[in-house]
Amino acid sequence: MAEAELSRPAGTAEDWTVPQDWAAYTPAEHAMWDRLFARQAAMLPDRVVPEFMAGLDMLRMDKPGIPDFEALSERLMKATGWQVVAVPGLVPDRVFFEHLANRRFVAGRFIRKPEQLDYLEEPDVFHDVFGHVPLLSHPVFADYMQAYGEGGLRADGLGAIDRLARLYWYTVEFGLIRGAGGLKLYGAGIVSSFGESKFALDDPSPNRIGFGLERLMRTEYRIDDYQQSYFVIDSFEDLLRQTIETDFAPLYHRLEGQPDLTPETVLPEDHVFTLGTQAYARAKLSRTPA
C-alpha cells in the first residue's frame, strides 16, 4: 500500500508513473523473476484460490522473464478494463487511490537482489505483478479493487486512511478465502512469499478468523514479519458486497470510540477457524535484544 509525505522523484509524471523500460532489464534480473516464478508456481496450485491460477494462465505470465507491462495491460484490459502502470516505488496515498479508482494498478519496476530472495522491505515487481495482477483478471475482484480505490479517496477526506489501510492489508495483501477443500490463499503478500505461502495455511501459530469489516478495521497488523492473524472471507462476491453496501463514514465514527486490537487478539464473538498458538511470534520476540 502507499505511504504519505513522499516527494515525487525527478522524471516521473504528475501521476507518479514512469516508463517501465522493459528493454533495460538484464539477463540476471529476468533470471531472478524466473526463479521466483518457478518456485511459487510449483507450490501454489493446491494452496491458492483457483481464480489466481486462472489469471496466471489467461495473462500468460508463465512466459519467461519479467512481464512487459504494455503486453500485460493489453490482455488485462480485454478481461476487466484494468492496466498495469510503472511507478518508481511507493506513492502517496491519494495517488494510489486515484489509480485504483480508475482501474490502474501501480507496480514497482525493480526486482529484488539474490540476497533478498525471501524478504525485502519495499515491494518489487515480483510482488506487485505476480502477487496482485492475476486476480485483477477476475471481474468481481477487479471491481473490489476499484471500489477500494474510490473508498480510499473518500477516506482521505475523512482522515480515516489508517483505518481503511487495514482493510487492504488483511484482504488484498494477506487475505484467506474459504474454499470447497478448505482455506485457500489469495492475498498478494502471501502468494508472492515462499515462506508465508506455507505459514499462512499450515503453521499452528497464527489465528485464522472469519472476516468482519468492523472487526478487521480495529486490528493492527505486522509489517515486519508473518501475520499473527489472518481473516477469512466467504467469497469475492461477499467481500465486494460488504464494501459497496457499507456507509463507511459512520463506521469510521464508531471506530474512533473503540480501542485498537493487537494482531493476536481473539474476541469471544469471533468465528475462529484456527485458534493460533502464537508460538512463532513469541519465539521471535524472545530472540529480540532488550
PDB file of all heavy atoms in Angstrom, residues 8 14 29 45 53 57 60 67 74 119 175 188 194 243 246:
ATOM      1  N   ARG A   8       7.801  13.558  -5.051  1.00  0.00           N
ATOM      2  CA  ARG A   8       7.808  12.945  -6.384  1.00  0.00           C
ATOM      3  C   ARG A   8       9.208  13.020  -6.984  1.00  0.00           C
ATOM      4  O   ARG A   8       9.763  14.105  -7.138  1.00  0.00           O
ATOM      5  CB  ARG A   8       6.788  13.644  -7.276  1.00  0.00           C
ATOM      6  CG  ARG A   8       6.687  13.051  -8.680  1.00  0.00           C
ATOM      7  CD  ARG A   8       5.407  13.499  -9.372  1.00  0.00           C
ATOM      8  NE  ARG A   8       5.350  14.933  -9.538  1.00  0.00           N
ATOM      9  CZ  ARG A   8       5.812  15.588 -10.601  1.00  0.00           C
ATOM     10  NH1 ARG A   8       6.387  14.920 -11.603  1.00  0.00           N
ATOM     11  NH2 ARG A   8       5.696  16.893 -10.686  1.00  0.00           N
ATOM     12  N   GLU A  14       3.057  13.575 -13.519  1.00  0.00           N
ATOM     13  CA  GLU A  14       2.258  14.144 -12.434  1.00  0.00           C
ATOM     14  C   GLU A  14       1.544  13.073 -11.626  1.00  0.00           C
ATOM     15  O   GLU A  14       1.323  13.233 -10.429  1.00  0.00           O
ATOM     16  CB  GLU A  14       1.230  15.138 -12.999  1.00  0.00           C
ATOM     17  CG  GLU A  14       1.825  16.429 -13.533  1.00  0.00           C
ATOM     18  CD  GLU A  14       2.427  17.299 -12.426  1.00  0.00           C
ATOM     19  OE1 GLU A  14       1.892  17.261 -11.298  1.00  0.00           O
ATOM     20  OE2 GLU A  14       3.423  17.986 -12.700  1.00  0.00           O
ATOM     21  N   GLU A  29      18.350 -10.148 -14.057  1.00  0.00           N
ATOM     22  CA  GLU A  29      17.059  -9.721 -13.490  1.00  0.00           C
ATOM     23  C   GLU A  29      15.928 -10.599 -14.018  1.00  0.00           C
ATOM     24  O   GLU A  29      15.035 -11.000 -13.265  1.00  0.00           O
ATOM     25  CB  GLU A  29      16.832  -8.248 -13.810  1.00  0.00           C
ATOM     26  CG  GLU A  29      17.734  -7.329 -13.009  1.00  0.00           C
ATOM     27  CD  GLU A  29      17.647  -5.880 -13.436  1.00  0.00           C
ATOM     28  OE1 GLU A  29      17.462  -5.614 -14.649  1.00  0.00           O
ATOM     29  OE2 GLU A  29      17.786  -4.996 -12.560  1.00  0.00           O
ATOM     30  N   PRO A  45      -0.539 -24.283  -6.669  1.00  0.00           N
ATOM     31  CA  PRO A  45      -1.795 -24.815  -7.224  1.00  0.00           C
ATOM     32  C   PRO A  45      -2.773 -25.401  -6.216  1.00  0.00           C
ATOM     33  O   PRO A  45      -3.990 -25.221  -6.344  1.00  0.00           O
ATOM     34  CB  PRO A  45      -1.310 -25.869  -8.227  1.00  0.00           C
ATOM     35  CG  PRO A  45      -0.021 -25.313  -8.710  1.00  0.00           C
ATOM     36  CD  PRO A  45       0.616 -24.685  -7.493  1.00  0.00           C
ATOM     37  N   MET A  53      -4.785 -18.945 -10.250  1.00  0.00           N
ATOM     38  CA  MET A  53      -4.108 -19.746 -11.263  1.00  0.00           C
ATOM     39  C   MET A  53      -4.714 -19.504 -12.651  1.00  0.00           C
ATOM     40  O   MET A  53      -3.987 -19.483 -13.651  1.00  0.00           O
ATOM     41  CB  MET A  53      -4.189 -21.231 -10.902  1.00  0.00           C
ATOM     42  CG  MET A  53      -3.509 -21.602  -9.586  1.00  0.00           C
ATOM     43  SD  MET A  53      -1.757 -21.126  -9.490  1.00  0.00           S
ATOM     44  CE  MET A  53      -1.043 -22.119 -10.807  1.00  0.00           C
ATOM     45  N   ASP A  57      -2.689 -18.058 -16.055  1.00  0.00           N
ATOM     46  CA  ASP A  57      -2.791 -18.698 -17.362  1.00  0.00           C
ATOM     47  C   ASP A  57      -3.325 -17.729 -18.411  1.00  0.00           C
ATOM     48  O   ASP A  57      -2.762 -17.607 -19.511  1.00  0.00           O
ATOM     49  CB  ASP A  57      -3.697 -19.933 -17.258  1.00  0.00           C
ATOM     50  CG  ASP A  57      -3.781 -20.696 -18.567  1.00  0.00           C
ATOM     51  OD1 ASP A  57      -2.737 -21.161 -19.050  1.00  0.00           O
ATOM     52  OD2 ASP A  57      -4.889 -20.825 -19.116  1.00  0.00           O
ATOM     53  N   ARG A  60      -0.893 -15.172 -19.445  1.00  0.00           N
ATOM     54  CA  ARG A  60       0.326 -15.780 -19.985  1.00  0.00           C
ATOM     55  C   ARG A  60       1.565 -15.347 -19.208  1.00  0.00           C
ATOM     56  O   ARG A  60       2.614 -15.039 -19.774  1.00  0.00           O
ATOM     57  CB  ARG A  60       0.474 -15.439 -21.472  1.00  0.00           C
ATOM     58  CG  ARG A  60      -0.499 -16.197 -22.356  1.00  0.00           C
ATOM     59  CD  ARG A  60      -0.339 -15.835 -23.798  1.00  0.00           C
ATOM     60  NE  ARG A  60      -1.330 -14.850 -24.206  1.00  0.00           N
ATOM     61  CZ  ARG A  60      -1.273 -14.160 -25.348  1.00  0.00           C
ATOM     62  NH1 ARG A  60      -0.256 -14.334 -26.158  1.00  0.00           N
ATOM     63  NH2 ARG A  60      -2.217 -13.298 -25.659  1.00  0.00           N
ATOM     64  N   PRO A  67       7.464  -9.686 -16.961  1.00  0.00           N
ATOM     65  CA  PRO A  67       6.445  -9.302 -17.937  1.00  0.00           C
ATOM     66  C   PRO A  67       6.599  -7.856 -18.417  1.00  0.00           C
ATOM     67  O   PRO A  67       6.981  -6.970 -17.660  1.00  0.00           O
ATOM     68  CB  PRO A  67       5.132  -9.480 -17.164  1.00  0.00           C
ATOM     69  CG  PRO A  67       5.454 -10.469 -16.098  1.00  0.00           C
ATOM     70  CD  PRO A  67       6.875 -10.165 -15.701  1.00  0.00           C
ATOM     71  N   GLU A  74      -2.524  -5.026 -22.109  1.00  0.00           N
ATOM     72  CA  GLU A  74      -3.397  -5.280 -23.250  1.00  0.00           C
ATOM     73  C   GLU A  74      -4.306  -6.470 -22.980  1.00  0.00           C
ATOM     74  O   GLU A  74      -5.521  -6.421 -23.242  1.00  0.00           O
ATOM     75  CB  GLU A  74      -2.552  -5.526 -24.501  1.00  0.00           C
ATOM     76  CG  GLU A  74      -3.384  -5.724 -25.755  1.00  0.00           C
ATOM     77  CD  GLU A  74      -2.529  -5.910 -27.004  1.00  0.00           C
ATOM     78  OE1 GLU A  74      -1.307  -5.646 -26.932  1.00  0.00           O
ATOM     79  OE2 GLU A  74      -3.088  -6.336 -28.040  1.00  0.00           O
ATOM     80  N   TYR A 119      12.972 -12.065   1.409  1.00  0.00           N
ATOM     81  CA  TYR A 119      12.396 -10.924   2.122  1.00  0.00           C
ATOM     82  C   TYR A 119      12.997  -9.620   1.616  1.00  0.00           C
ATOM     83  O   TYR A 119      14.206  -9.521   1.431  1.00  0.00           O
ATOM     84  CB  TYR A 119      12.643 -11.017   3.632  1.00  0.00           C
ATOM     85  CG  TYR A 119      12.095  -9.824   4.390  1.00  0.00           C
ATOM     86  CD1 TYR A 119      10.729  -9.718   4.629  1.00  0.00           C
ATOM     87  CD2 TYR A 119      12.929  -8.797   4.811  1.00  0.00           C
ATOM     88  CE1 TYR A 119      10.209  -8.624   5.288  1.00  0.00           C
ATOM     89  CE2 TYR A 119      12.409  -7.686   5.477  1.00  0.00           C
ATOM     90  CZ  TYR A 119      11.049  -7.611   5.709  1.00  0.00           C
ATOM     91  OH  TYR A 119      10.532  -6.517   6.347  1.00  0.00           O
ATOM     92  N   GLY A 175      -5.058 -11.843   2.678  1.00  0.00           N
ATOM     93  CA  GLY A 175      -6.350 -12.476   2.853  1.00  0.00           C
ATOM     94  C   GLY A 175      -6.359 -13.972   2.569  1.00  0.00           C
ATOM     95  O   GLY A 175      -5.617 -14.475   1.725  1.00  0.00           O
ATOM     96  N   ALA A 188      -1.895 -11.004  -1.985  1.00  0.00           N
ATOM     97  CA  ALA A 188      -0.660 -10.907  -2.766  1.00  0.00           C
ATOM     98  C   ALA A 188       0.586 -11.042  -1.913  1.00  0.00           C
ATOM     99  O   ALA A 188       1.607 -11.572  -2.367  1.00  0.00           O
ATOM    100  CB  ALA A 188      -0.632  -9.576  -3.522  1.00  0.00           C
ATOM    101  N   PHE A 194       7.403 -17.282  -0.547  1.00  0.00           N
ATOM    102  CA  PHE A 194       7.581 -18.725  -0.405  1.00  0.00           C
ATOM    103  C   PHE A 194       7.284 -19.173   1.022  1.00  0.00           C
ATOM    104  O   PHE A 194       6.545 -20.135   1.251  1.00  0.00           O
ATOM    105  CB  PHE A 194       9.013 -19.097  -0.785  1.00  0.00           C
ATOM    106  CG  PHE A 194       9.288 -20.573  -0.772  1.00  0.00           C
ATOM    107  CD1 PHE A 194       8.809 -21.390  -1.775  1.00  0.00           C
ATOM    108  CD2 PHE A 194      10.040 -21.131   0.249  1.00  0.00           C
ATOM    109  CE1 PHE A 194       9.056 -22.758  -1.758  1.00  0.00           C
ATOM    110  CE2 PHE A 194      10.299 -22.496   0.269  1.00  0.00           C
ATOM    111  CZ  PHE A 194       9.807 -23.313  -0.732  1.00  0.00           C
ATOM    112  N   THR A 243     -18.302  -4.211   0.883  1.00  0.00           N
ATOM    113  CA  THR A 243     -17.561  -2.975   0.652  1.00  0.00           C
ATOM    114  C   THR A 243     -18.436  -1.896   0.034  1.00  0.00           C
ATOM    115  O   THR A 243     -18.409  -0.737   0.449  1.00  0.00           O
ATOM    116  CB  THR A 243     -16.351  -3.251  -0.260  1.00  0.00           C
ATOM    117  OG1 THR A 243     -15.523  -4.242   0.352  1.00  0.00           O
ATOM    118  CG2 THR A 243     -15.530  -1.989  -0.475  1.00  0.00           C
ATOM    119  N   THR A 246     -21.627  -0.773   2.449  1.00  0.00           N
ATOM    120  CA  THR A 246     -21.363  -0.177   3.759  1.00  0.00           C
ATOM    121  C   THR A 246     -21.165   1.323   3.634  1.00  0.00           C
ATOM    122  O   THR A 246     -20.431   1.790   2.758  1.00  0.00           O
ATOM    123  CB  THR A 246     -20.104  -0.801   4.393  1.00  0.00           C
ATOM    124  OG1 THR A 246     -20.340  -2.196   4.611  1.00  0.00           O
ATOM    125  CG2 THR A 246     -19.764  -0.128   5.715  1.00  0.00           C
TER     126      THR A 246
END
